[in-house]
Amino acid sequence: MSERDKNPKDNDLDPDDPQTGVVEKTDARTKRPSLYKVILLNDDYTPMEFVVHLLRGVFHRSEEEAVHIMLQVHQDGAGICGVYSFEVAETKVGQVISAARSSEHPLQCTMEKA
C-alpha cells in the first residue's frame, strides 16, 4: 500500500496544488478545405475542338458537358471547368496550360477561390 492510500484525507484535492486543474474537452473539428474554380479563358486562336478535347481529357466531362462549357467560354469569354481543392485545381490548370503549349495554342486557364 502506498503512503497516499493509507490516509484517505491526503487523497483530497488541494486547490493550491499546481497539478490540480479543470480538464476542458475540446471539440476537434477539421475545417473543410477552400475550394477553387478552374476557369478557361477565350482566345481567338484555339480551336473549339481542342477545348472540347481538353475538357473531356483533363476534367473528365462528357461530350455534351464539354461542348456546353466550350460554348460558354466562346460566347461569354470564360467558363468554369470545375470546382476543386487548391492542389487539384492547381494541377488541372497546369495540365491545361501544358497541353495547350505543347499543341501551340494560346489557351489560358486560371483558378480563383469559389
Side-chain angles (χ1 to χ4, degrees):
M1 229 176 182
S2 72
E3 288 297 317
R4 292 186 71 132
D5 293 336
K6 290 180 184 176
N7 191 348
K9 187 172 183 178
D10 289 341
N11 285 338
D12 291 342
L13 296 176
D14 180 9
D16 296 328
D17 183 6
Q19 303 246 343
T20 303
V22 177
V23 175
E24 292 183 22
K25 184 177 180 183
T26 58
D27 194 10
R29 292 189 182 184
T30 56
K31 185 179 174 187
R32 291 186 152 244
S34 297
L35 297 177
Y36 292 81
K37 297 184 278 189
V38 176
I39 302 168
L40 278 181
L41 304 175
N42 190 34
D43 65 71
D44 294 332
Y45 303 102
T46 304
M48 293 179 181
E49 295 81 16
F50 181 76
V51 174
V52 170
H53 172 74
L54 277 180
L55 289 165
R56 296 202 66 203
V58 175
F59 298 96
H60 307 289
R61 298 294 184 178
S62 68
E63 181 77 23
E64 185 177 304
E65 290 173 319
V67 169
H68 177 75
I69 295 169
M70 177 272 299
L71 289 173
Q72 186 179 23
V73 171
H74 181 69
Q75 294 167 353
D76 300 339
I80 299 171
C81 304
V83 180
Y84 307 96
S85 67
F86 179 82
E87 292 81 8
V88 174
E90 188 176 46
T91 300
K92 297 222 181 254
V93 167
Q95 290 173 330
V96 168
I97 292 173
S98 176
R101 296 299 165 267
S102 67
S103 298
E104 299 181 358
H105 296 300
L107 184 65
Q108 290 294 309
C109 187
T110 63
M111 59 188 254
E112 64 182 42
K113 204 165 193 173

